[in-house]
Amino acid sequence: MIEGKNFINGQWRTGDNATPVMSPAQPSERVGSILLSTQDDVNAAVDAAEAASIAWKKFGMVARGNHLFQAAEALEPIVDELAALAAREMGKPVAEARGEALRAVAILRYYAGEGLRSVGDVIPSSNAQSLQYTTRTPLGVVAVVTPWNFPLAIPMWKVAPALVYGNTVVLKPAEWSSLTAIRMMERIGALFPQGVLNLITGLGSITGEALIRHPKIRGISFTGSTTVGAHIAEVATANGVKYQAEMGGKNAVVVTADANLELAVDSTVSGAMRSAGQKCTATSRVIVLSEIHDLFLDRLRERLTKIKQGNPLDTDTYLGPVVSASQYQKVSDYIALGDQEGHLVVGGVHQTREATDGYYIAPTVFDQVQPSARIAQEEIFGPVVSVITANSLEEAISVTNGIRYGLSASIFTQSLHTALQFVEEVEVGLVRVNEETAGVELQAPFGGVKASSSHSREQGRSALEFYTDIKTVSIRP
Ligand code: NAD
């Protein structure tokens, strides 16, 4: 069992302010404990990262990439263990968590390869003798603040590019997923020079706040709620610190009359119910063209009754518990609101177990929801879907866009014309045709518009933009 500790300057440090971590599937079961780190812990981690910064920068990209290759090799043999730990700690079904652990390994390999790729441009100079080009410089110490819903992939898709491009890192994982981060760090932390990669756990309001305000931090990469992201944006802007914030979503699927119905239903179920709907890219609104509404709803209802909900450690579990008592309460409150704002099709409060038996929420669908209803506008982050009827493609696109978020949206259609109109007009960072709203690949840019993002992008080569500054060089011989 993992007990509270931080990884600072290449050493594990324990403390006496640990708090227990309980399983969301069995709230009386203790899974381990994490430290509630203080300002002193944050200072120690940032000081270590700063001290390591110059030497790490001088290592060069190729050598840094080699360290990431070694980290991938070290992590791969324990993907099953990591998946089981994530399942026990935050409730993601183990089969899904295993896929995420493999993704973390693949991310490390991708950014290891970045160590061999070019990073600048040669630009013609009006002075024929001069050599003008751009190169990239790391920011320095980067704070990485992550949510609990992807305990392995999200920390890794920030940490790996930060490191290969020459930054040193202090990672602060979410309170509900820190054990998985600690186990990951046990395998890879010591593969890097002392101080290059540090991990501190604790509450967002204390440890996270101290970290983002630390005067030696030169970059903040945050993923989490829109409320906290907006706060981080304010703090970073006031302090002149580069930041990126990837935040909430309220993602829509549009089902047209010519859609492949089986595909649309399967993708809606997967997008809405995997990870118990706790993905920023989860499907939470389905906008159905009126001609196909009844047929779609029948198939969706039928499909949802076959979903296997249960212990996240069982390999055939499709839907596990939500992460915590507070998340259980929040989703239950939205379901109660849904009874007033829509017509219950499946699930609902009466089908949901008592919280003492695990934070399980029944897969829930409301029909006849108005686009302006709160359940259709606010991020619920649970296995709950609102179905909205539209009378035309134009109306469906307008409903898709009529929201503060802009992360992901899908359309199911056989018409190229319809698909292209949707791609053109929809206001999101990720648009998908005949594919579910979740599931963007690691080598492609990821991020949103509107309140979903600071308009920066993560993953793939986009990470270079955030984790480095451009330096323009002109040399006259
Ligand atoms: P959260 O905002 O509550 O917490 C995220 C992280 O921020 C945690 O590590 C937390 O400890 C920390 N934090 C909280 N307050 C802080 C403060 N004042 N200063 C510094 N750090 C602070 O989010 P969550 O509940 O962990 O995650 C769920 C949210 O994340 C959802 O809104 C979801 O849509 C979003 N999310 C977005 C993406 C994306 O890429 N767009 C991906 C996954 C999750």
Side-chain angles (χ1 to χ4, degrees):
M1 196 173 284
I2 293 173
E3 301 298 351
K5 55 183 181 177
N6 287 330
F7 188 67
I8 298 175
N9 205 24
Q11 317 271 318
W12 287 102
R13 298 189 188 180
T14 53
D16 50 16
N17 52 346
T19 189
V21 175
M22 311 304 280
S23 160
Q26 187 51 262
S28 57
E29 185 195 322
R30 188 175 177 281
V31 188
S33 68
I34 60 165
L35 289 184
L36 299 179
S37 303
T38 61
Q39 178 78 55
D40 286 347
D41 301 316
V42 171
N43 291 346
V46 176
D47 286 347
E50 195 203 27
S53 189
I54 291 175
W56 183 240
K57 184 178 166 184
K58 287 187 176 162
F59 251 67
M61 292 251 304
V62 177
R64 293 195 297 261
N66 284 338
H67 277 73
L68 294 193
F69 268 122
Q70 287 166 19
E73 298 298 299
L75 216 51
E76 196 165 34
I78 63 154
V79 290
D80 289 320
E81 183 193 334
L82 286 169
L85 182 56
R88 292 181 68 216
E89 181 181 33
M90 50 71 72
K92 185 174 289 196
V94 70
E96 233 188 302
R98 187 174 193 279
E100 190 190 331
L102 286 169
R103 183 163 177 141
V105 173
I107 290 167
L108 274 167
R109 294 215 169 97
Y110 176 89
Y111 284 107
E114 272 298 280
L116 300 172
R117 293 188 197 109
S118 57
V119 292
D121 295 308
V122 176
I123 302 156
S125 169
S126 51
N127 181 342
Q129 275 80 50
S130 287
L131 170 62
Q132 180 165 256
Y133 66 96
T134 57
T135 183
R136 295 275 181 165
T137 54
L139 304 179
V141 181
V142 171
V144 168
V145 181
T146 53
W148 44 264
N149 65 334
F150 283 94
L152 295 158
I154 292 183
M156 199 52 83
W157 84 47
K158 295 174 184 295
V159 166
L163 292 177
V164 80
Y165 298 132
N167 304 280
T168 55
V169 170
V170 179
L171 166 65
K172 209 299 281 171
E175 295 84 324
W176 311 110
S177 63
S178 293
L179 299 178
T180 314
I182 290 172
R183 183 66 189 116
M184 189 161 72
M185 195 64 73
E186 283 181 343
R187 290 293 283 196
I188 70 170
L191 298 174
F192 297 89
Q194 278 186 357
V196 165
L197 179 54
N198 306 274
L199 166 82
I200 47 168
T201 62
L203 298 176
S205 54
I206 296 173
T207 315
E209 190 73 32
L211 182 61
I212 60 160
R213 288 184 184 279
H214 198 290
K216 291 181 182 167
I217 292 291
R218 299 313 316 146
I220 303 170
S221 181
F222 166 83
T223 296
S225 61
T226 296
T227 311
V228 175
H231 168 67
I232 285 177
E234 245 176 66
V235 172
T237 306
N239 295 340
V241 172
K242 192 173 181 184
Y243 75 95
Q244 65 177 180
E246 294 305 330
M247 301 173 279
K250 187 74 185 174
N251 312 291
V253 156
V254 171
V255 184
T256 65
D258 69 357
N260 174 334
L261 207 56
E262 292 309 314
L263 184 64
V265 170
D266 277 355
S267 304
T268 300
V269 170
S270 172
M273 302 300 161
R274 288 216 181 267
S275 292
Q278 302 168 113
K279 291 184 187 177
C280 53
T281 49
T283 303
S284 57
R285 299 181 292 156
V286 184
I287 302 159
V288 192
L289 273 289
S290 47
E291 304 96 295
I292 201 166
H293 170 273
D294 293 355
L295 201 52
F296 175 83
L297 211 62
D298 282 350
R299 296 277 169 84
L300 184 64
R301 186 190 293 111
E302 186 192 318
R303 181 75 177 69
L304 284 175
T305 52
K306 292 185 189 144
I307 273 199
K308 181 164 183 294
Q309 183 170 38
N311 188 331
L313 284 167
D314 293 343
T315 48
D316 60 347
T317 289
Y318 194 95
L319 179 59
V322 295
V323 71
S324 62
S326 57
Q327 194 65 19
Y328 175 90
Q329 192 54 52
K330 180 182 153 199
V331 179
S332 301
D333 289 348
Y334 273 113
I335 290 176
L337 178 65
D339 281 333
Q340 296 158 33
E341 293 190 327
H343 171 76
L344 184 68
V345 178
V346 283
V349 178
H350 63 284
Q351 282 197 18
T352 291
R353 297 191 216 169
E354 291 300 317
T356 43
D357 296 335
Y359 307 130
Y360 291 95
I361 304 269
T364 297
V365 176
F366 291 103
D367 187 26
Q368 296 168 29
V369 177
Q370 290 303 310
S372 59
R374 279 184 58 203
I375 57 165
Q377 289 284 329
E378 297 172 17
E379 187 183 44
I380 298 175
F381 231 52
V384 181
V385 172
S386 295
V387 177
I388 299 167
T389 308
N391 292 313
S392 65
L393 177 64
E394 285 67 27
E395 187 186 344
I397 294 174
S398 161
V399 172
T400 304
N401 290 342
I403 195 147
R404 69 193 285 244
Y405 297 107
L407 188 53
S408 180
S410 297
I411 191 163
F412 286 83
T413 179
Q414 314 266 14
S415 156
L416 185 59
H417 178 79
T418 302
L420 289 177
Q421 184 177 343
F422 187 76
V423 169
E424 178 71 22
E425 295 179 14
V426 74
E427 295 166 359
V428 289
L430 312 165
V431 56
R432 330 251 304 155
V433 176
N434 298 324
E435 294 186 14
E436 71 175 75
T437 51
V440 176
E441 295 185 41
L442 65 95
Q443 67 275 28
F446 181 93
V449 298
K450 294 156 84 176
S452 292
S453 171
S454 57
H455 307 272
S456 42
R457 291 291 178 269
E458 299 197 272
Q459 302 200 108
R461 285 232 95 194
S462 301
L464 178 65
E465 299 300 326
F466 178 71
Y467 291 103
T468 61
D469 284 324
I470 295 178
K471 191 175 267 180
T472 305
V473 185
S474 181
I475 301 176
R476 191 170 173 169

